[in-house]
């Protein structure tokens, strides 16, 4: 830090067996400030992860570049600073990373002396870590990062220290000293009196802990900005019951000096000539921290593109104070509007499907990959004379680009002129990056979801055959959680002029292997059914086939042979939930069939066939466990509840009955599995 003039330094360690960087050392900033970056996955866009992945120095020379490349960091630290990250390596092994932070300067470049100092440190650290590992004593990160405090080279004598205290006590304004961890190390009598506290009670504490009225975002933002930017910051706050106080924070290498003085109601403190404006106060007058945090959290939970669009259009405007927004996606060389708020549908139709090659700000930011901000209509008109006007007074056009993939652009507009100070530009750019990452994940989710369920639907029957004397309806619902395919299947097979068969089953697991085996089991059952074999034999032959193909998964199956002439049913089960039989009088019973082993466990397993009458008006219900399994509830109770629903739905048509049973299950259970349902009614 001394060799480079950096204000903050972080050292990360990479364990050979992991793909996560662990923060091990912090200097120049409180450990609590670095908590969001305590562990950084190697596939993260953060600078330290990129430096390790690419084994090179990574340089971010401005606030906007940080926001564009690392949206999460830009959102959490919307301040002016520069970052350099370099890998600590020896030979072919990377052992960690060094991260240095500086206040922004002009020009924002990393000089050769600073690069040489970083290279030298990383080489020495890589060699040291390699030697430690070779000795069997690898350096491991602790439970918490180690904080290194910089010591002042000048230690005053006793007389000089007493004179300094007397000087501070004689001043009419309040004087505070905070160490690098933000704890109070000195407070004069004037400061203690202004805040209505005892000086002794303040020492060693963080101001926001002992003075709750300082715990709002203004103090926290001013403190973080002072630490990161190494520039003076200031804010005004109400000290209960009615005293407004002005706080000025002056950062230095060893902590922060604070000056406090009375202020008129809501008065912004007058900056001294050498003070720079406080970036956080600019952004946080417009953008609230909590709403942005909420939006970022919900974006990480959004599953599909539709959910991302809903979250952006529903939460973004209140969080940033804009009056309208439009979310546009690239589609075959055009920008199509996929979501909007605050604009009329007619206006959006005018802007929909504009060519990417057009001279419009929304299209231009996509091509350039750099955001554009226009505080007034005159600014917009100068840059884009032919651009159509949407009736607003200020605009932010943000590109949605991540990992080399272009998604589109985000347009934010305001009813009044809007200056877009640097901190706010960084926050908006960061938000665009988070939205892009969410869209990237969501589009991949949608693609996998579509592929998975297309595969599963292809393995299920599209149309059930017509069986004289019986009415059969089926329902299939994929799970509402996750995107993997399941192993539920059903089938209805016309065997000959006097017989038909029905089957329902479930292969364990929710992945492509389960779906593939499901297709094989269904095909095997179908093939054996057409030979006229009894239900027990059909299951036994299918079970042996699973052993022959070396299936590593198990499957349940319920097979029913329907005697069309005598209205009888012959059933056999392989570990499947019991079928339900609603008699013509409306009474429903759970059929107690002889249990059979799941298919795929024992190739010699035997399956017993049971015969039951199926008179006209009777309904046989076959289902998979997704219809009756509820966490924390005995499955026998949910099966009994399903039977009760079957009894009380006697007057419904078969289609309505199937919908009722599925609707009841999906609205009374926390469903984690697919649902298959097959209802068979004897009609004459």
């Amino acid at each position: 830090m001394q060799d480079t003039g950096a204000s903050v330094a972080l050292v990360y360690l990479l364990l050979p067996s992991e793909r996560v960087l662990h923060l091990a050392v912090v200097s120049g900033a409180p450990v609590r400030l670095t908590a969001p970056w305590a562990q950084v996955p190697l596939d993260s866009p953060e600078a330290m992860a990129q430096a390790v992945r690419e084994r090179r120095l990574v340089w971010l020379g401005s606030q906007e570049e940080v926001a564009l490349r690392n949206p999460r960091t830009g959102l959490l630290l919307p301040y002016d600073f520069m970052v350099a990250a370099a890998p600590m390596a020896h030979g072919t092994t990377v052992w960690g990373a060094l991260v240095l932070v500086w206040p922004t300067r002009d020009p924002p470049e990393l000089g050769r002396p600073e690069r040489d100092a970083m290279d030298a440190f990383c080489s020495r650290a890589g060699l040291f870590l390699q030697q430690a590992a070779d000795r069997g004593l690898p350096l491991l990160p602790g439970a918490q990062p180690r904080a290194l405090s910089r010591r002042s080279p000048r230690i005053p004598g006793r007389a000089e220290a007493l004179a300094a205290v007397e000087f501070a006590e004689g001043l009419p304004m309040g004087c505070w000293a905070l160490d690098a961890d933000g704890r109070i190390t000195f407070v004069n009598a004037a400061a203690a009196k202004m805040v209505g506290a005892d000086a002794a009670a303040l020492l060693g504490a963080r101001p926001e802990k002992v003075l709750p009225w300082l715990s709002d975002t203004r103090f926290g933002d001013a403190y973080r900005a002072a630490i990161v930017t190494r520039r003076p910051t200031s804010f005004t706050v109400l000290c209960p019951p009615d005293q407004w106080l002005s706080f000025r924070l002056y950062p230095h290498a060893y902590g922060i000096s604070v000056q406090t003085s009375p202020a008129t109601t809501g008065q912004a403190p007058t900056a001294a000539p050498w003070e720079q404006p406080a970036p956080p106060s600019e952004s946080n007058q417009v953008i609230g921290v909590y709403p942005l945090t909420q939006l970022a959290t919900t974006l990480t939970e959004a599953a599909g593109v539709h959910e991302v669009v809903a979250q952006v259009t529903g939460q973004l405007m209140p969080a940033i104070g804009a009056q309208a927004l439009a979310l546009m996606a690239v589609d075959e060389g055009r920008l199509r509007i996929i979501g909007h708020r605050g604009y009329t549908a007619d206006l959006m139709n005018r802007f929909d499907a504009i060519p990417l090659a057009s001279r419009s700000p929304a299209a231009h930011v996509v091509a350039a990959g750099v955001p554009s901000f226009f505080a007034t209509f005159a600014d917009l008109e100068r840059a884009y004379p032919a651009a159509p006007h949407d009736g607003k007074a200020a605009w932010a056009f943000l590109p949605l680009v991540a990992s080399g993939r272009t998604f589109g652009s985000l347009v934010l507009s305001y009813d009044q002129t809007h200056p877009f100070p640097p901190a706010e530009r960084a926050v908006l750019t960061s938000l665009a990056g988070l939205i892009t990452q969410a869209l990237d994940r969501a589009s991949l989710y949608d693609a996998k979801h579509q592929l998975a369920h297309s595969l599963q639907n292809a393995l299920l029957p599209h149309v059930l055959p017509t069986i004289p004397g019986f009415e059969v309806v089926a329902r299939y619902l994929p799970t509402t959680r996750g995107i993997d395919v399941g192993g539920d299947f059903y089938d209805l097979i016309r065997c000959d002029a006097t017989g038909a068969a029905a089957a329902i089953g479930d292969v364990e697991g929710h992945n492509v292997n389960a779906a593939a085996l499901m297709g094989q089991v269904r095909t095997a059952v179908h093939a054996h059914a057409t030979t006229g074999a009894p239900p027990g034999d059909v299951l036994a032959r299918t079970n042996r086939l699973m052993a022959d193909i070396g299936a590593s998964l198990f499957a349940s199956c319920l097979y029913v042979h329907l005697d069309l002439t005598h209205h009888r049913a012959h059933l056999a089960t392989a570990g499947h939930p019991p079928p339900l039989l609603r008699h013509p009088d409306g009474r429903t019973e759970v059929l107690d069939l002889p249990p059979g082993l799941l298919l795929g466990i024992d190739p010699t397993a035997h399956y017993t066939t049971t015969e039951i009458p199926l008179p006209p008006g009777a309904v046989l219900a076959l289902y998979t466990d997704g219809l009756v399994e509820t966490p924390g509830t005995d499955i026998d109770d949910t099966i009994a509840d399903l039977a009760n629903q079957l009894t009380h739905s006697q007057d419904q048509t078969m289609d309505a009955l199937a919908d009722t049973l599925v609707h009841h299950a999906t609205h009374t259970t926390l469903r984690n599995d697919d649902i298959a349902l097959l209802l068979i009614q004897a009609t004459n």
Side-chain angles (χ1 to χ4, degrees):
M1 293 175 70
Q2 290 175 351
D3 292 344
T4 62
S7 56
V8 176
L10 311 174
V11 175
Y12 284 86
L13 294 180
L14 177 64
L15 303 183
S17 59
E18 297 185 8
R19 292 189 56 78
V20 176
L21 289 167
H22 297 266
L23 182 57
V25 179
V26 178
S27 183
V31 170
R32 57 195 169 91
L33 182 64
T34 64
W37 300 273
Q39 294 186 359
V40 179
L42 282 186
D43 58 0
S44 162
E46 300 290 348
M48 63 287 284
Q50 183 183 358
V52 170
R53 287 197 309 269
E54 301 176 7
R55 295 198 64 166
R56 67 176 181 87
L57 187 143
V58 174
W59 168 249
L60 304 177
S62 69
Q63 179 183 13
E64 288 194 17
E65 190 173 4
V66 170
L68 190 62
R69 304 257 306 265
N70 301 329
R72 180 168 171 265
T73 297
L75 183 61
L76 293 173
L77 298 175
Y79 315 120
D80 286 323
F81 64 97
M82 307 181 299
V83 178
M88 301 187 302
H90 183 76
T92 60
T93 305
V94 179
W95 292 97
L98 167 69
V99 179
L100 297 181
V101 178
W102 295 265
T104 53
R105 61 195 178 206
D106 193 21
E109 297 175 353
L110 188 64
R112 174 52 58 186
E114 296 157 330
R115 289 178 178 268
D116 291 343
M118 291 187 71
D119 288 344
F121 173 86
C122 289
S123 295
R124 292 196 304 271
L127 175 60
F128 171 81
L129 292 166
Q130 181 70 60
Q131 291 173 338
D134 291 343
R135 292 196 301 269
L137 298 170
L139 189 61
L140 303 177
Q144 294 291 330
R146 180 178 179 183
L148 299 182
S149 299
R150 299 179 69 175
R151 299 294 181 181
S152 173
R154 180 172 176 271
I155 302 176
R158 184 173 183 274
E160 186 180 8
L162 288 174
V165 171
E166 291 174 356
F167 171 78
E169 291 292 355
L171 294 174
M173 76 282 291
C175 296
W176 313 66
L178 307 182
D179 64 13
D181 195 39
R183 299 182 183 277
I184 301 170
T185 57
F186 173 80
V187 58
N188 69 351
K193 183 178 180 180
M194 287 181 193
V195 300
D198 180 68
L202 296 173
L203 291 175
R206 296 192 180 100
E208 71 275 18
K209 297 297 184 183
V210 291
L211 303 172
W213 45 272
L214 273 181
S215 62
D216 70 352
T217 58
R218 281 171 292 182
F219 174 78
D221 286 335
Y223 174 77
R224 287 189 293 271
I227 288 291
V228 174
T229 67
R230 287 295 192 263
R231 293 176 179 174
T233 60
S234 56
F235 65 96
T236 301
V237 67
L238 177 64
C239 174
D242 56 5
Q243 176 64 60
W244 286 88
L245 295 177
S246 168
F247 284 78
R248 303 181 196 273
L249 283 67
Y250 300 94
H252 48 80
Y254 317 108
I256 294 179
S257 298
V258 182
Q259 176 188 320
T260 308
S261 58
T264 58
T265 304
Q267 169 189 324
T270 302
W274 61 87
E275 288 188 67
Q276 299 292 327
S281 65
E282 294 174 342
S283 64
N284 287 295
Q285 289 172 359
V286 179
I287 301 177
V289 173
Y290 179 73
L292 293 183
T293 304
Q294 284 290 98
L295 175 62
T297 301
T298 55
L299 285 177
T300 63
E301 298 172 350
V305 171
H306 178 75
E307 289 188 24
V308 173
V309 172
Q311 295 295 344
V312 171
T313 56
Q315 295 194 38
L316 185 56
M317 283 202 320
I320 64 174
Q323 280 71 56
L325 69 80
L327 192 60
M328 313 177 81
V330 174
D331 181 21
E332 296 183 350
R334 294 181 176 271
L335 276 177
R336 298 194 179 275
I337 295 174
I338 59 174
H340 63 89
R341 182 66 63 89
Y343 286 121
T344 65
D346 289 342
L347 182 64
M348 289 295 93
N349 288 336
R350 289 172 47 200
F351 286 89
D352 192 24
I354 59 174
L356 281 176
S358 65
R359 181 63 179 169
S360 69
H364 182 256
V365 296
V366 174
V370 178
S372 296
F373 301 91
F374 302 97
T376 66
F377 176 67
D379 294 339
L380 177 65
E381 193 174 33
R382 270 193 302 271
Y384 300 94
H389 191 216
D390 61 3
K392 299 299 181 180
W395 299 263
F397 295 91
L398 307 167
L400 302 179
V401 181
S403 303
R405 183 178 178 186
T406 301
F407 288 90
S409 60
L410 173 65
V411 182
L412 305 171
S413 61
Y414 301 77
D415 290 340
Q416 305 295 327
T417 58
H418 197 83
F420 295 110
E424 185 176 356
R425 294 186 179 206
V427 170
L428 294 178
T429 303
S430 298
L431 280 172
L434 292 176
I435 292 169
T436 307
Q437 292 174 6
L439 286 171
D440 190 13
R441 292 191 301 269
S443 61
L444 180 61
Y445 176 97
D446 286 345
K448 286 185 176 180
H449 189 275
Q450 180 62 36
L451 177 62
H453 287 289
S454 294
L455 169 63
Q456 188 164 37
N457 290 335
L459 296 173
L460 295 172
H462 295 283
V463 179
L464 296 178
T466 299
I467 306 296
F470 290 88
E471 183 180 358
V472 183
V473 298
R475 294 291 185 271
Y476 170 75
L477 271 74
T479 178
T480 56
R481 298 172 62 112
I483 64 171
D484 291 331
V485 293
D488 288 20
F489 68 92
Y490 62 89
D491 206 354
L492 183 66
I493 308 130
R494 181 66 185 265
C495 300
D496 52 38
T498 61
I504 196 165
D506 184 4
V507 176
E508 67 169 333
H510 287 83
N511 51 42
V512 175
N513 291 336
L517 183 58
M518 176 265 280
Q520 291 174 306
V521 171
R522 176 175 168 253
T523 300
V525 170
H526 195 110
H528 294 311
T530 57
T531 66
D537 289 351
V538 170
L539 293 182
R541 294 173 185 178
T542 304
N543 182 51
R544 286 195 293 273
L545 173 67
M546 290 183 64
D548 292 341
I549 64 177
S552 59
L553 302 175
F554 304 137
S556 69
C557 185
L558 178 64
Y559 180 84
V560 182
H561 181 268
L562 301 172
D563 184 339
L564 307 181
T565 302
H566 303 96
H567 279 284
R568 311 285 294 179
H570 302 82
L571 305 92
T573 181
H576 199 78
L580 305 179
L581 177 63
R582 189 180 74 185
H583 295 273
D585 61 4
R587 176 177 53 90
T588 301
E589 68 172 310
V590 180
L591 298 181
D592 185 16
L593 304 180
L597 283 177
L598 291 170
L599 303 177
I601 294 179
D602 179 5
T604 65
H606 174 74
Y607 299 92
T608 303
T609 299
T610 300
E611 180 181 349
I612 63 168
L614 200 61
V619 175
L620 186 63
L622 316 179
Y623 54 90
T624 55
D625 55 11
L627 194 68
V628 292
E629 280 191 342
T630 303
T633 303
D634 190 286
I635 193 170
D636 290 338
D637 293 336
T638 53
I639 291 175
D641 182 56
L642 183 65
N644 186 56
Q645 286 292 317
L646 197 60
T647 296
H648 288 85
S649 304
Q650 188 174 7
D651 296 332
Q652 293 183 330
T653 65
M654 289 290 282
D655 277 318
L657 175 59
D659 292 338
T660 295
L661 297 181
V662 171
H663 177 82
H664 177 74
T666 56
H667 283 74
T668 58
T669 66
L670 179 63
R671 192 161 58 88
N672 298 320
D673 203 353
D674 298 341
I675 287 177
L677 172 67
L678 201 59
L679 297 179
I680 305 169
Q681 181 179 39
T683 56
N684 55 55

